[in-house]
Amino acid sequence: MLPLARNLIASERLRHAAIAVGIAVLVAVTTILRPLDITVWSLQAKLFDHRPSGEIVFVEAERGAGADALVTANRRLAGTLEAVDAAGAARIFIDLPIQRSGDDAVDERLRGELLRLRDMTVLTRSLRTDFLNGRGVAETDPFFARGLRMVSNDYKTDFLGYVWGIDAVHGDGRRTLPALWTELAGNSGPKAELAPDYAVNVEAIPSFEAENLGTDALSASIRDRAVVLGQAGQSRRVVKIPGSGVVNPSLVHIVAAETALRGGGQPVNWPWTTAFFGLLLALAASASVRARRRRLLYGLLVVSLVATVVVTAASGVRAIFASSIALFIVYACLRLIVRFKRRHLLVEPRSKLPNFVALRRDLSDDPPDGAAAIVVAKIARLDAVFATLTPADQGRYLRQLASRLALGDPEARIYYDGGKYFALILAAAKYEDLQGHLEGLRAIASQSVTVSDRVLDVSMTIGVDRSAEKSGPSRLSSAIAAADQAREAYRPVFIISDTVDDAEEWDYSLQARLESALSQDRISIKLQPQADLRTGQIIGAEALARWVDEERGEIPPARFILQCERVGRLDELTKRILMKSLSAAETLRQAGHTPRISVNVSAIQFVDTRIAELIERCLAVRPADPSRLTIELTETARIEDFSSARSVIEEIKALGVSFSMDDFGVASANLEAMFELPFDEIKIDQLFVQRIHSSPMARAIVANVSRLARETGLTSVAEGIEDQQTFTALREMGVDIGQGYHIARPIVLSELEKTLSLQKDAIAPFENRG
């Protein structure tokens, strides 16, 4: 793929990756996809079966409500403590509220056991006072708590009742207590929040009922271990463990402690996972590789996400994956949208190539720098070729042309507008001779194309914009115009690089004002007189279009005429200038003057009979003498089909109109055009006229053109006569008619009428002008 095209596509993928990261961050901050995280964590809990250490034993102790139940509960708890101590437990954690029963003897006995075992006994309490976690939770009476170590048994559940993180320390503003799990784990594990590893098999945690203590087997299971006495039933709100359902709340702290003992429980927050997978995605998106390999990279990204889920599950690490999953999903959706647009909205259907809508989008999204060139290839006579091909063969023909323009790179980004233009973006800086490279490219692309055993010729010109100041779409318009101005015969590659002049020439804001000027008929004409060089008498005038814009003042004709051509309003402009010229001729006729009036018409309008119909309609509306009208055919080198142009000109000449070839001698195609087309006169370009005194070659060219005109029966007209010396020299060479500032500058109709009236009494007014 061409380097710049690769960069455009890679930058698009990177932009989508950045958007995906931004949305992933938003998802993480708002936690709107927390249910997705919960689902992942629940699945992780089922991937592995971690056996508990066996160092922590859970014992359910019966507790009751009411005075009689509390007496029984406190008596049983005292007995349980004696049995646990007798069994050789290393530590005892009482994770249930102890309240006074009203029986002093029973309470004193329990208090005595607690004090006897104070070095190995730890009580729990809840410091949370919020509605969901603390309200209605019974607390241990200070009578029993005095002198004993306390820890917090608090935890936070989500909306489903699961505990995904437990702090190492809890506080209520007045005191701070370590969490139960930290004491069970011997202060190992994270010093902040711990994420319980629910891959720890809860069913395998040694669990007994208090009434069964005392047997030798149970004593062996308790010896040298930490024992958690938890309340049977649900004394606090419901808590769940994935895969186990509703469990005793004490088990959550036991699982957390087992997680810490295994070296797990470290939470990995979303910034780390999002940054990690965002970086991987950016690397994959920016990889300038073939689509097949890039899809493989995307597959590896998904595999890496799945592998990370598995690895964190195995190691007991709790990572937030919703943001990373959202990252991939958003990126995939963006790429799918792009592919849909490219397939349907941004793709030319016949060729399956990206269209110019896609090109303009790419140019707007990622403007090429000054080192890049926008290249447009114009295929001549494409409609005639398509007329002989089926739609399928048309697509094959177009794809072959695109492949050649891509220099054999199947991933090069070649754009096709659905008409006669192809485009590409070229890294011009890598070519020392861009002109030579493009001429070679054109030579390759212009080879005959074989479609369905038919050999088809290819005729191509190339336009290039290398300017650095303008916007991408404006540069594209310049390149299209350059392709239109290029000529196969003498300038097949036309490169625009003058940034200042060209930026003015293709100012997009000009188009809106031009449309307004046309609709409001604000484009006028001035008439530049033409004189018979033998008599010095004014015999005609050339109508010149003039436009004075309210904001920018007078706009050069070359600018707005070319703009009309670009936007398809050239016929409209020609019609208005022709109508004004015929009206001027009629006004002069009524004043007793019959000069000939010349009107410029672009050669590209002679591709069909529309211009003939336009001239015929104008002559029908304006009662002017057709024999006094001359059509000056400009840019004859742009005629691609002389046969068609000849038939159109002959149709117009049948109305009585004369034809003149403008700017003769500038383009190499002029001699061919003069031979092929039925002209009545030729206009010698001022390039030669103004140098006849300084250049022997220019003088010889003018003299020979004049002689050629006489010998072929044509009238010769010289442009650009600036002084009397040139006027005299041209007359001596036999040139018939002249125009220029020495004769007269362009003037309005009233001034021309006055000049013609004064001329009636004058003899050769320009003959003796110094």
Side-chain angles (χ1 to χ4, degrees):
M1 184 182 293
L2 298 177
L4 190 57
R6 284 198 299 266
N7 292 341
L8 283 171
I9 298 173
S11 65
E12 178 187 65
R13 292 196 297 265
L14 277 174
R15 185 172 65 254
H16 290 164
I19 293 173
V21 169
I23 295 177
V25 170
L26 181 64
V27 165
V29 171
T30 59
T31 68
I32 58 176
L33 288 185
R34 183 48 54 87
L36 179 59
D37 278 320
I38 294 173
T39 301
V40 173
W41 296 335
S42 299
L43 291 174
Q44 284 182 307
K46 299 177 182 179
L47 290 177
F48 298 95
D49 186 8
H50 296 155
R51 303 296 297 177
S53 65
E55 297 300 316
I56 304 174
V57 178
F58 176 62
V59 175
E60 278 192 334
E62 287 286 346
R63 299 295 295 170
D68 294 341
L70 285 175
V71 170
T72 302
N74 285 355
R75 185 183 296 114
R76 288 179 177 176
L77 180 57
T80 299
L81 290 175
E82 292 175 353
V84 170
D85 178 47
R91 302 177 72 192
I92 303 172
F93 295 85
I94 303 177
D95 186 26
L96 48 82
I98 308 175
Q99 297 174 305
R100 299 192 69 162
S101 64
D103 188 325
D104 292 341
V106 172
D107 292 345
E108 287 292 343
R109 180 192 171 196
L110 177 55
R111 167 70 179 167
E113 285 297 317
L114 291 172
L115 292 176
R116 183 177 68 83
L117 301 174
R118 74 175 63 187
D119 292 336
M120 56 184 294
T121 300
V122 178
L123 300 183
T124 65
R125 67 163 298 167
S126 174
L127 296 179
R128 296 181 65 89
T129 57
D130 59 274
F131 176 79
L132 290 178
N133 293 279
R135 186 174 179 178
V137 176
E139 298 293 343
T140 296
D141 193 283
F143 174 77
F144 300 104
R146 282 195 303 270
L148 273 76
R149 179 173 172 76
M150 301 289 294
V151 296
S152 169
N153 61 2
D154 289 302
Y155 54 84
K156 295 177 293 185
T157 63
D158 64 12
F159 63 96
L160 293 176
Y162 293 103
V163 177
W164 300 111
I166 308 180
D167 292 331
V169 176
H170 295 276
D172 60 359
R174 294 176 300 169
R175 72 172 85 180
T176 299
L177 295 177
L180 171 58
W181 69 264
T182 62
E183 295 294 321
L184 288 172
N187 291 315
S188 62
K191 302 306 179 184
E193 184 183 56
L194 178 136
D197 178 11
Y198 291 123
V200 173
N201 190 338
V202 177
E203 304 298 328
I205 295 174
S207 300
F208 310 103
E209 294 181 358
E211 61 187 22
N212 294 328
L213 294 176
T215 64
D216 293 340
L218 292 184
S219 297
S221 299
I222 292 174
R223 184 175 294 112
D224 299 326
R225 289 171 173 78
V227 176
V228 178
L229 296 178
Q231 185 172 350
Q234 296 300 320
S235 62
R236 282 182 285 172
R237 64 190 178 89
V238 173
V239 63
K240 301 176 183 177
I241 288 179
S244 300
V246 178
V247 298
N248 192 292
S250 301
L251 288 175
V252 173
H253 280 273
I254 294 176
V255 170
E258 292 286 356
T259 301
L261 291 173
R262 289 180 53 82
Q266 296 84 0
V268 178
N269 292 324
W270 64 264
W272 296 102
T273 55
T274 305
F276 175 71
F277 288 109
L279 177 61
L280 292 182
L281 180 59
L283 292 175
S286 61
S288 297
V289 296
R290 296 182 182 274
R292 188 173 182 179
R293 295 181 181 176
R294 191 169 56 254
R295 284 193 289 269
L296 178 61
L297 287 177
Y298 291 153
L300 291 175
L301 276 179
V302 176
V303 170
S304 68
L305 177 61
V306 175
T308 304
V309 171
V310 174
V311 169
T312 53
S315 59
V317 174
R318 176 70 41 74
I320 294 177
F321 291 106
S323 58
S324 300
I325 295 173
L327 171 71
F328 289 163
I329 292 175
V330 170
Y331 181 79
C333 290
L334 290 173
R335 298 310 300 166
L336 287 174
I337 292 172
V338 167
R339 291 191 64 181
F340 174 81
K341 286 183 176 180
R342 285 178 178 165
R343 183 172 297 176
H344 297 89
L345 305 179
L346 302 177
V347 172
E348 197 281 324
R350 282 181 301 186
S351 63
K352 309 304 180 185
L353 296 171
N355 57 26
F356 274 28
V357 176
L359 174 56
R360 289 187 174 89
R361 181 209 59 182
D362 292 342
L363 292 174
S364 298
D365 292 347
D366 192 358
D369 56 29
I374 298 179
V375 179
V376 171
K378 176 184 177 183
I379 312 301
R381 297 181 287 279
L382 191 58
D383 290 340
V385 173
F386 280 176
T388 65
L389 298 176
T390 65
D393 284 343
Q394 291 174 12
R396 296 187 188 97
Y397 178 83
L398 293 169
R399 286 191 291 274
Q400 286 194 51
L401 293 181
S403 177
R404 292 178 180 183
L405 290 171
L407 291 177
D409 185 348
E411 291 195 11
R413 197 162 178 78
I414 306 297
Y415 302 85
Y416 175 57
D417 77 329
K420 55 187 175 183
Y421 298 106
F422 288 85
L424 65 148
I425 303 172
L426 193 66
K430 64 184 291 188
Y431 302 104
E432 293 184 6
D433 182 7
L434 179 62
Q435 180 89 24
H437 169 74
L438 291 174
E439 287 176 354
L441 175 63
R442 175 184 171 273
I444 294 172
S446 297
Q447 298 294 319
S448 298
V449 173
T450 302
V451 178
S452 298
D453 298 326
R454 294 184 57 193
V455 179
L456 303 170
D457 291 335
V458 178
S459 179
M460 177 186 299
T461 57
I462 291 179
V464 185
D465 185 286
R466 293 195 63 183
S467 49
E469 300 290 333
K470 299 179 301 185
S471 65
S474 180
R475 292 180 62 188
L476 174 60
S477 297
S478 296
I480 292 173
D484 286 337
Q485 295 180 46
R487 293 293 171 268
E488 289 186 77
Y490 70 97
R491 196 177 188 180
V493 177
F494 193 113
I495 298 179
I496 293 176
S497 59
D498 185 354
T499 58
V500 176
D501 291 343
D502 196 58
E504 292 180 353
E505 185 176 0
W506 301 119
D507 182 3
Y508 260 100
S509 65
L510 181 67
Q511 181 174 333
R513 291 194 293 276
L514 178 59
E515 294 285 349
S516 176
L518 286 171
S519 62
Q520 298 176 22
D521 197 20
R522 287 191 280 109
I523 295 180
S524 61
I525 64 169
K526 282 191 175 182
L527 300 161
Q528 184 168 27
Q530 296 175 330
D532 185 328
L533 296 185
R534 289 167 294 183
T535 65
Q537 296 290 312
I538 294 176
I539 60 171
E542 179 182 358
L544 302 173
R546 290 294 183 264
W547 174 27
V548 179
D549 182 62
E550 295 176 351
E551 295 183 15
R552 293 195 174 185
E554 186 167 342
I555 307 296
R559 264 187 86 195
F560 69 80
I561 291 174
L562 206 50
Q563 189 81 358
C564 283
E565 179 182 328
R566 284 182 54 241
V567 299
R569 299 298 299 273
L570 195 55
D571 284 353
E572 176 70 15
L573 178 65
T574 301
K575 176 184 176 182
R576 293 185 180 277
I577 300 303
L578 185 58
M579 292 290 284
K580 292 178 185 295
S581 300
L582 293 175
S583 294
E586 178 60 17
T587 300
L588 292 172
R589 186 191 65 78
Q590 292 176 0
H593 309 297
T594 56
R596 67 179 207 150
I597 301 295
S598 299
V599 178
N600 291 295
V601 178
S602 175
I604 65 167
Q605 293 176 268
F606 285 78
V607 295
D608 54 41
T609 60
R610 285 182 302 168
I611 186 64
E613 295 167 357
L614 185 151
I615 294 173
E616 185 175 5
R617 286 196 302 270
C618 289
L619 287 170
V621 173
R622 293 290 188 268
D625 183 359
S627 65
R628 308 308 296 171
L629 175 64
T630 300
I631 300 298
E632 289 191 13
L633 204 61
T634 64
E635 303 179 294
T636 53
R638 299 177 71 177
I639 295 177
E640 297 176 348
D641 187 347
F642 282 114
S643 177
S644 298
R646 185 189 308 111
S647 64
V648 175
I649 292 175
E650 289 175 345
E651 184 177 345
I652 298 172
K653 283 174 67 70
L655 300 173
V657 178
S658 300
F659 270 83
S660 174
M661 177 188 290
D662 195 21
D663 301 327
F664 183 82
V666 174
S668 62
N670 273 340
L671 284 172
E672 181 184 3
M674 178 181 173
F675 177 76
E676 293 284 352
L677 302 176
F679 288 109
D680 299 289
E681 74 174 28
I682 53 176
K683 295 189 72 173
I684 306 171
D685 192 78
Q686 61 182 346
L687 171 69
F688 309 110
V689 172
Q690 293 175 352
R691 298 184 185 181
I692 60 175
H693 302 296
S694 61
S695 170
M697 181 172 289
R699 187 179 183 90
I701 289 173
V702 173
N704 281 284
V705 170
S706 175
R707 181 176 58 83
L708 176 63
R710 285 195 305 273
E711 293 179 356
T712 55
L714 302 178
T715 301
S716 58
V717 181
E719 298 179 298
I721 301 175
E722 304 294 332
D723 51 52
Q724 179 64 35
Q725 186 181 9
T726 303
F727 184 98
T728 302
L730 292 170
R731 181 174 59 187
E732 292 173 353
M733 292 180 190
V735 177
D736 299 313
I737 300 173
Q739 70 182 74
Y741 284 2
H742 175 67
I743 297 172
R745 291 176 177 269
I747 54 180
V748 296
L749 174 60
S750 60
E751 292 176 338
L752 178 59
E753 182 180 348
K754 181 179 180 180
T755 300
L756 291 172
S757 297
L758 292 173
Q759 181 180 263
K760 287 184 177 181
D761 300 323
I763 300 175
F766 304 104
E767 201 170 31
N768 301 312
R769 184 179 296 183

